């Protein structure tokens, strides 16, 4: 048997996120413009978008965006697996514009499904069941890759500049209350469609700029919990880590930020007693999930968008607020392009998350003021 | 010793191993060499007013050469040799000759010196270029702090209304070391009180741990150095009582040792002085015998019983380590040990040192530590229990790069034994079992032992820890990592050179350029 070989792509990038904290849906025009404005941070080898509040008509079904390469085989196998494991209520080829400037687009299909659990799978929650199936497809079916797997949201991504990818998937026709976007600059391998950002598991998405020097440690820890990194890029670990910590272990975002980007021991020692104990415990237990190396990341799920940098802030991240809109971006200029006037704009400290959420967690409910985590 | 009788009447056919050259122009006949050598190699002849050497007894420890005030001495391997023979090397011939003359098991000290592959030499580290900034440890924080012991699978945390986070998970006991380098088990009895105390002092000064080995912890050292001690509970159960267990940082059950897997120990009665007797809790002058197995551990269930007995005795406040020699099935054994309740797995590899071991065992039993770390770490991960223990690797770490590679393969920290002895003066003459260590380390002879001044020797040891720690920080920074935990098990930062496919597979690393 040939050794298992892990590939890791390295990339520099642009990231952008916009959220309406009243949950009102808006079109992607501004977001596409903003990410296109950071054209030089990418190299045309990857771009992508995550949109929340995307499929209100199917809001109770998992929306699976799946990419197929090569001939029919992968799709046939995947269809068989989906039909075995889910009720597929609707599926169709992803609408796309043929003329967009993207190389070798693969077949992308969307399925709206409800879990059909049998036997001992009935003990699993719906979410855990879906994660398992996503892993099955990514791991076992060659040439099939799940782009996204959450409800009422979806990821569109591919090779090309983000504005070209947006054109290819005709994103100007969609609306959502959170949009995140990513422009990619992979440096060590040819970009491929599955390797573009955002990464997604269930409704968690991650758009990441950076290189994770702790990748091996993070990946091997996540493998113990059933996550297998198959998309050949280091950012994938953040998506799985977020799923593990926030969904499965139910840890609050403030805590997760301190796991990914913990304060140094000297700073921990200066904290008051209760905080010291907490931070020290987090570092001990979750040491393998410290994300080391330069990163800035926009994490999103329903009702929440989070920006975070590594603990010594080796990659840029800026935030801006205007009325009910909040923006996160690699560069402030991109925010100013979309919203000339801002109520405030600021750059958070390394390792300090910006959490933007809908008040009460429900969609479309009352507004809360955006506060940077102190 | 067996064979001593024979020596008296049988002419020995052995060639001297070393040749001593004394530059007569330089020699001032100060007799320093005569006094320094416990093997009685140098002799002053009053009538001739001249120094002579008896090369047959020279062990090549270089003590005389270092202390000769005029640099008159050169001690070098004897160049005269038997006819070259790939199969019957000089060493094989002289070992066999020795046995023909003594009828005894060949004894030796220190670690395996055979040319088995040293995987450290076949692993190369990574460094950041362009896409990831390297970090300068002189200007940026660089963290080596390491916690040893079991970690829970997850924390239950709840965000309270007042913004406080409440954790309801109970934390198992962990011990913190400021650098991932600990001193390996070196028992009082095998080494001198002075050498033992030096290790204790250095560990406490630097914020790491030393390991008492199986010979107990002298009472006068408990108060000051107990909190930096891993106290061993071995097959002889020497010196184990409640106070011993409870004054410590952690407790270690010794099942095996890399230099002599499957073999016990024997401290001859003449070395059992009053203080050793008191510490080991045996009568002075009696032989201290460590049986090969622990006679209450014939199975994994028995191990579990002892682990929990020790946890009970220490009120569940100390992590319990279990040390085994790295052998063919280490991975499966380690998994059993974790399930039996071990909080730390200490692995001692093929090249681990010893005060005394049969040469055949030292040279032929066990597996290299690099492969053992890798397979144990991988196995525990496959079973999802890697975080339930820490892995301490021992046996053959010669420099800070070896430590970095050990951690990248999957160890939490390393034990150094031989390296610590060298820092105190040891020159690896391998004669520890004779009790005549000229460097004052492996001896109970008060005249020799006082050659170690704990103030100075502990300083040499802390210097070593400081130097290695700094080098580790440099290497981490180069990889774009600023906390040691992000290196642990991070085999992406290693590449193999000159290794076969199966070796790369066991090590879990890619080949260089892949
Ligand atoms: S120590 Fe050096 S100078 Fe002194 S007697 Fe020996 S060889 Fe001569
Ligand atoms: S401890 Fe002493 S006897 Fe043993 S190898 Fe080192 S110098 Fe020689």
């Amino acid at each position: 048997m040939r050794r298992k070989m892990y590939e890791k792509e390295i990339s520099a990038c642009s990231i952008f996120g916009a959220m309406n904290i009243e949950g009102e849906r808006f079109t992607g025009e501004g977001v596409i413009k903003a990410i296109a404005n950071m054209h030089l941070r990418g190299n045309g080898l990857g771009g992508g978008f995550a949109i929340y509040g995307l499929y209100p008509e199917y809001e109770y079904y998992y929306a699976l965006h799946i990419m197929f390469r090569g001939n029919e085989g992968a799709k046939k196998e995947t269809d068989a697996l989906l039909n075995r494991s889910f009720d597929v209520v609707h599926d169709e080829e992803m609408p796309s514009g043929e003329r967009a400037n993207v190389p070798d687009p693969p077949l992308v299909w969307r399925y709206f499904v409800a879990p059909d659990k049998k036997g001992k799978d009935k003990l699993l929650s719906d979410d855990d069941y879906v994660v398992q199936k996503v892993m099955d497809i990514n791991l076992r079916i060659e040439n099939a890759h799940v782009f996204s797997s959450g409800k009422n949201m979806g990821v569109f991504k591919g090779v090309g500049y983000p504005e070209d990818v947006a054109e290819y998937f005709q994103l100007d026709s969609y609306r959502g209350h959170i949009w995140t976007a990513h422009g990619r600059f992979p440096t060590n391998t040819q970009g491929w469609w599955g390797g573009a950002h955002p990464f997604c598991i269930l409704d968690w998405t991650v758009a990441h700029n950076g290189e994770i020097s702790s990748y091996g440690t993070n990946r091997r820890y996540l493998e113990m919990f059933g996550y297998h990194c198959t998309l050949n890029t280091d950012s994938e670990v953040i998506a799985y880590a977020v799923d593990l910590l926030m969904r499965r272990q139910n840890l609050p975002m403030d805590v997760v930020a301190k796991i990914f980007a913990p304060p140094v021991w000297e700073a921990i020692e200066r904290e008051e007693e209760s905080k010291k104990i907490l931070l020290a415990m987090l570092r001990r237990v979750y040491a393998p999930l410290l994300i080391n190396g330069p990163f800035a990341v926009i994490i999103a799920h329903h009702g929440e968008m989070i920006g975070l940098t590594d603990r010594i802030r080796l990659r840029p991240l800026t935030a801006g607020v205007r009325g009910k809109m909040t923006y996160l971006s690699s560069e402030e200029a991109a925010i100013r392009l979309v919203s000339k006037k801002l109520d405030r704009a600021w750059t958070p400290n390394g390792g300090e998350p910006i959490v933007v959420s809908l008040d009460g967690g429900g969609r479309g409910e009352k507004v809360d003021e955006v506060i940077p985590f102190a | 010793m067996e064979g001593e009788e024979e020596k008296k009447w049988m002419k020995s056919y052995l060639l001297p191993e070393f040749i001593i050259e004394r530059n007569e122009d330089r020699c001032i006949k100060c007799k320093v060499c005569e006094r320094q050598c416990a093997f009685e190699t140098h002799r002053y002849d009053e009538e001739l007013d001249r120094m002579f050497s008896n090369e047959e007894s020279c062990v090549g420890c270089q003590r005389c050469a270092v202390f000769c005030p005029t640099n008159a001495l050169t001690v070098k391997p004897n160049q005269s040799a038997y006819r070259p023979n790939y199969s019957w090397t000089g060493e094989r011939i002289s070992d066999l000759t020795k046995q023909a003359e003594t009828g005894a098991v060949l004894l030796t000290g220190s670690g395996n010196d055979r040319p088995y592959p040293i995987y450290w030499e076949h692993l190369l580290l990574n460094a950041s270029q362009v896409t990831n900034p390297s970090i300068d440890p002189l200007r940026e924080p660089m963290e080596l702090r390491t916690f040893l012991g079991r970690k829970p699978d997850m924390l239950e945390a709840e965000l309270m209304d007042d913004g406080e986070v409440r954790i309801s998970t109970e934390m198992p006991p962990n011990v913190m070391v400021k650098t991932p380098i600990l001193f390996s088990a070196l028992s009082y009895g095998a080494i001198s009180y002075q050498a033992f105390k030096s290790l204790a002092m250095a560990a406490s000064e630097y914020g790491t741990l030393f390991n008492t080995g199986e010979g107990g912890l002298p009472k006068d050292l408990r108060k000051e150095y107990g909190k930096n001690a891993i106290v061993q509970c071995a097959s002889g159960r020497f010196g184990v009582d409640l106070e011993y267990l409870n004054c410590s940082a952690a407790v270690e059950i010794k099942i095996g040792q890399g230099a002599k897997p499957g073999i016990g120990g024997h401290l001859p009665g003449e070395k059992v002085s009053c203080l050793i007797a008191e510490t080991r809790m045996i009568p002075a002058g009696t032989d201290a015998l460590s049986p090969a197995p622990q006679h209450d551990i014939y199975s994994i269930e028995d191990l579990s019983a002892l682990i929990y007995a020790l946890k009970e005795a220490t009120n569940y406040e100390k992590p319990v380590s279990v040390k085994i020699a790295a052998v063919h099935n280490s991975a499966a054994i380690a998994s059993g040990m974790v399930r039996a309740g071990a909080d730390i797995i200490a692995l001692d590899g093929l090249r681990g040192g010893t005060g005394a071991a049969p040469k055949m065992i030292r040279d032929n039993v066990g597996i290299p530590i690099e492969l053992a770390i890798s397979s144990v770490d991988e196995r525990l991960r496959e079973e999802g229990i890697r975080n339930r223990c820490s892995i301490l690797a021992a046996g053959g770490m010669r420099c800070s790069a070896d430590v970095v590679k050990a951690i990248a393969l999957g160890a939490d920290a390393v034990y150094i034994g031989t390296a610590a002895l060298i820092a105190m003066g040891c020159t690896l003459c391998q004669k520890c079992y004779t009790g005549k260590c000229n460097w004052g380390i492996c001896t109970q002879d008060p005249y020799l032992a006082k050659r170690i001044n704990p103030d100075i020797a502990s300083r040499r040891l802390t210097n070593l820890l400081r130097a290695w720690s700094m080098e580790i920080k440099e290497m981490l920074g180069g990889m774009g990592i600023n906390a040691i935990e992000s290196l642990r098990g991070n085999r992406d930062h290693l590449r193999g050179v000159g290794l076969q496919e199966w070796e790369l597979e066991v090590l879990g690393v890619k080949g260089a350029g892949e």
Side-chain angles (χ1 to χ4, degrees):
Chain A
M1 196 192 78
R2 178 81 184 148
R3 277 170 292 129
K4 265 192 273 181
M5 286 269 229
Y6 290 96
E7 287 299 336
K8 186 185 84 164
E9 286 186 1
I10 303 171
S11 48
C13 307
S14 55
I15 52 180
F16 191 86
M19 174 170 177
N20 181 307
I21 56 172
E22 287 187 359
E24 288 162 13
R25 298 163 74 220
F26 55 95
T27 70
E29 194 191 342
V31 175
I32 297 167
K33 226 165 78 183
I35 198 81
N37 191 54
M38 296 187 280
H39 189 87
L40 287 181
R41 301 183 71 89
N43 67 354
L45 290 180
F49 299 80
I51 312 169
Y52 290 83
L54 178 64
Y55 298 125
E57 62 277 32
Y58 290 108
E59 91 177 291
Y60 301 111
Y61 297 94
Y62 290 92
L64 305 179
H65 289 191
I66 305 181
M67 161 196 127
F68 304 103
R69 289 189 292 183
N71 52 22
E72 281 286 282
K75 175 152 194 306
K76 271 201 190 125
E77 240 185 286
T78 306
D79 285 350
L81 185 145
L82 292 177
N83 286 323
R84 262 199 321 273
S85 325
F86 296 98
D87 287 328
V88 180
V89 297
H90 179 69
D91 72 304
E92 63 185 356
E93 188 176 346
M94 197 69 80
S96 54
E98 302 301 327
R99 292 222 307 281
N101 181 22
V102 293
D104 308 322
L107 179 66
V108 180
W109 209 269
R110 66 181 156 209
Y111 301 82
F112 297 93
V113 304
D116 179 16
K117 295 179 277 191
K118 301 179 188 89
K120 67 177 185 351
D121 282 346
K122 287 194 177 137
L123 298 173
L124 292 175
S125 70
D126 282 2
D127 281 353
D128 282 332
Y129 182 77
V130 172
V131 170
Q132 205 184 61
K133 296 299 163 201
V134 170
M135 292 292 152
D136 276 355
I137 296 173
N138 287 344
L139 217 52
R140 302 225 164 85
I141 305 183
E142 215 183 326
N143 291 330
H145 289 277
V146 180
F147 278 179
S148 64
S149 49
K151 290 178 182 172
N152 196 10
M153 58 79 66
V155 168
F156 301 85
K157 59 185 181 179
V159 176
Y161 282 100
E163 55 273 30
D164 299 329
V165 172
E167 189 190 335
Y168 178 71
F169 286 115
Q170 304 173 338
L171 294 192
D172 46 2
S173 60
Y174 295 104
R175 300 169 80 84
H177 71 271
I178 304 175
W179 285 70
T180 66
H182 188 264
R184 188 146 181 264
F185 197 135
T187 43
N188 66 342
T189 53
Q190 279 299 311
W192 72 288
W193 286 62
H197 297 218
F199 287 95
C200 173
I201 185 78
L202 297 172
D203 73 335
W204 294 96
T205 59
V206 169
H208 163 239
N209 165 17
E211 179 181 340
I212 304 179
S213 45
S214 56
Y215 176 68
T217 301
N218 307 143
R219 187 195 76 229
R220 297 182 76 221
Y221 183 76
L222 289 165
E223 279 172 359
M224 290 210 297
F225 295 87
Y227 297 95
H228 297 275
C229 296
T230 54
L231 295 174
N232 300 349
T233 165
D234 55 0
S235 318
E236 196 182 0
V237 298
I238 301 183
Y240 297 154
V242 163
D243 184 66
L244 174 70
L245 298 174
M246 297 192 65
R247 183 182 62 84
R248 277 167 66 180
Q249 301 189 353
N250 211 4
L251 295 175
M253 184 59 218
D254 301 355
V255 167
V256 173
K258 297 296 171 215
I259 291 172
F260 289 169
V264 295
W265 284 111
E266 269 176 34
I268 291 178
E269 250 132 51
R270 286 194 298 267
E271 293 285 353
E272 47 160 289
E273 202 54 27
S274 67
K275 195 133 189 235
K276 187 153 83 185
I277 293 171
L278 170 74
L279 291 170
M281 251 192 210
L282 290 174
R283 277 204 75 170
R284 274 154 66 182
V285 175
Y286 291 108
L289 286 180
L290 190 164
I291 310 286
N292 222 310
F295 74 81
V297 66
I298 299 177
I299 301 167
H301 68 134
H302 277 302
E304 207 164 51
M305 177 173 81
I306 300 134
L308 180 68
T309 62
D310 64 87
R311 57 196 194 140
I312 51 178
R313 208 180 65 211
L314 295 169
R315 288 289 152 92
L317 188 71
T318 301
V321 180
R322 176 68 179 171
K324 45 196 172 183
M325 291 300 298
T326 300
Y327 303 97
L328 298 173
S329 174
S330 299
E331 295 174 6
E332 192 176 324
I335 301 179
R336 298 270 177 197
L337 185 70
V338 183
S339 174
K340 238 188 203 84
K341 278 210 178 128
L342 291 175
D343 304 341
R344 51 197 285 249
W346 76 101
T347 298
N349 285 332
E352 289 188 357
I354 299 174
V355 181
V356 191
S357 47
L358 297 177
D359 187 36
R363 266 159 290 162
E365 282 172 39
K366 229 184 94 335
V367 197
D368 193 17
E369 222 225 313
V370 182
I371 337 167
F373 182 76
Chain B
M1 197 197 295
E2 266 177 275
E4 287 298 319
E5 264 315 293
E6 249 95 343
K7 263 194 200 159
K8 290 190 186 128
W9 59 273
M10 200 192 279
K11 160 73 186 155
S12 172
Y13 296 164
L14 288 167
L15 287 169
E17 282 186 82
F18 294 92
I19 294 295
I20 298 165
E21 288 172 4
R22 179 180 281 102
N23 183 329
E24 299 296 342
D25 293 340
R26 287 187 172 195
C27 176
I28 53 169
K29 294 158 198 129
C30 66
K31 298 182 220 161
V32 161
C33 50
E34 186 181 22
R35 284 193 301 276
Q36 289 299 323
C37 187
F39 296 93
E40 297 173 11
T41 300
H42 303 279
R43 181 176 49 85
Y44 174 65
D45 188 311
E46 215 150 331
E47 251 167 71
L48 298 173
D49 185 30
R50 208 180 142 177
M51 299 298 302
F52 287 91
S53 336
N54 172 24
E55 286 160 335
E56 280 75 12
S57 69
C58 177
V59 299
C61 77
Q62 303 291 353
R63 177 84 187 181
C64 57
V66 168
F67 278 79
C68 169
T70 60
N71 286 332
L73 288 168
T74 310
V75 180
K76 49 187 184 190
N78 189 353
Q79 293 299 310
S80 64
Y82 306 108
R83 171 178 289 276
N85 186 319
Y86 186 72
S87 174
W88 288 98
T89 58
E91 187 183 350
R92 292 277 176 245
I93 295 176
S94 54
D95 277 353
L96 191 146
T97 305
K98 231 179 263 172
Q99 293 189 291
E101 290 172 6
T102 60
V105 166
L106 293 167
L107 280 183
T108 188
S110 355
N112 193 328
D113 60 5
R114 311 293 308 165
Y116 294 108
I118 295 176
Y119 287 96
W120 307 132
E121 312 283 5
H122 295 271
L123 290 168
L124 294 171
L125 296 169
N126 193 26
S128 304
Q129 299 288 290
V130 182
T131 55
N132 187 345
S134 44
I135 304 167
D136 181 350
L138 293 175
R139 299 193 171 80
E140 305 260 5
M142 189 59 69
E143 304 185 297
L144 298 188
R145 193 180 285 206
T146 300
F147 290 85
L148 301 171
R150 178 173 297 249
K151 318 281 186 297
D153 293 348
M154 61 169 288
L155 288 179
E156 303 257 6
E158 212 183 324
L159 192 58
M160 310 309 280
D161 289 339
D162 56 1
E164 289 266 313
V165 176
R166 206 181 54 199
I167 304 264
S168 46
T169 310
E170 211 177 303
M171 261 322 264
N174 275 198
V175 282
M176 191 266 278
V177 284
K178 289 202 180 134
T179 189
I181 308 167
L182 290 73
F183 296 130
S184 201
L186 292 151
S187 71
Y188 173 41
I191 61 172
S192 62
Y193 178 86
Q194 286 85 340
F196 188 86
K197 185 172 177 189
S198 306
L199 290 162
M201 286 168 67
S204 135
E205 160 88 24
Y206 204 82
T208 183
L209 305 177
F210 73 107
N211 188 311
T212 62
E214 59 177 314
L217 179 58
K219 286 212 151 62
D220 60 318
L221 299 180
R222 291 185 182 178
K223 200 156 162 258
E224 199 165 349
Y225 305 112
K227 59 186 183 311
N228 291 89
I230 297 184
V231 297
Q232 249 189 11
C233 170
S235 63
R237 293 288 195 279
F238 299 119
V240 178
D241 64 13
L242 269 184
E243 188 195 290
Y244 169 73
L245 296 174
N246 281 294
C247 74
S248 71
V251 181
E252 181 168 275
I253 299 171
K254 177 194 171 184
I255 300 291
Q257 182 178 344
K260 45 178 176 179
I263 297 282
H266 176 189
L267 188 68
E270 61 260 32
K271 292 193 193 165
V272 180
S273 65
C274 285
L275 186 57
I276 291 184
E278 189 197 336
T279 309
R280 295 202 172 207
M281 303 197 287
I282 55 172
T286 54
D287 288 6
L289 288 166
S290 303
Q294 300 231 6
H295 279 299
D296 51 0
I297 304 180
Y298 287 179
S299 70
I300 199 88
E301 312 85 273
D302 294 343
L303 174 68
S304 192
L306 181 59
I307 291 174
Y308 282 96
L310 291 171
K311 288 190 178 186
E312 283 287 338
T314 52
N315 198 23
Y316 293 85
E317 283 165 8
K318 322 243 177 229
V320 173
S321 163
V322 180
K323 175 176 175 182
I324 55 166
V327 290
H328 302 181
N329 288 328
S330 303
I333 297 164
S335 145
M337 281 155 48
V338 177
R339 292 177 195 285
D343 304 306
I344 299 171
I345 304 289
L347 293 167
D348 195 8
L350 182 64
R351 287 184 299 274
T354 178
K359 191 171 178 200
M360 289 303 117
I361 305 286
R362 188 198 73 174
D363 288 355
N364 295 287
V365 184
I367 64 170
I369 188 64
E370 302 91 326
L371 303 180
I373 297 170
S374 192
S375 57
V376 167
D377 174 70
E378 186 61 30
R379 176 64 170 264
L380 297 179
R381 283 171 194 276
E382 276 165 19
E383 298 188 12
I385 54 175
R386 175 64 183 85
N387 53 314
R388 293 197 204 154
C389 71
S390 295
I391 296 177
L392 268 173
M397 263 61 78
R398 306 150 306 164
C399 59
S400 56
D402 293 354
V403 178
V404 169
K405 292 169 189 177
I407 294 174
L409 283 175
D412 287 80
V414 305
Y415 268 140
I416 55 167
T418 303
L421 296 185
I422 293 174
M424 287 194 280
C426 164
T427 53
L428 293 185
C429 70
Q430 310 194 3
K431 293 291 184 244
C432 325
Y433 64 95
T434 62
K436 291 185 193 166
C437 174
N438 281 328
W439 293 91
I441 300 168
C442 266
T443 181
Q444 297 309 323
D445 178 342
Y447 175 72
L448 296 174
K450 70 168 193 268
R451 293 179 180 181
I452 293 267
N453 173 338
D455 289 328
I456 296 170
S458 65
R459 181 69 175 268
R460 298 179 78 98
L461 289 163
T462 47
N463 280 341
L464 178 77
L465 292 173
R466 184 170 302 115
W468 283 23
S469 301
M470 197 55 224
E471 289 174 343
I472 293 171
K473 290 179 178 184
E474 296 274 7
M475 286 179 264
L476 283 182
M479 289 185 259
I481 287 176
N482 61 10
I484 191 88
E485 55 253 50
S486 297
L487 177 71
R488 198 172 303 133
N490 198 343
R491 300 178 188 175
D492 294 35
H493 285 290
L494 296 173
R495 288 290 187 273
V497 277
L499 293 175
Q500 302 196 27
E501 194 69 21
W502 72 265
E503 292 166 310
L504 292 170
E505 163 125 29
V506 173
L507 291 167
V509 302
K510 292 184 187 174
E514 281 191 294

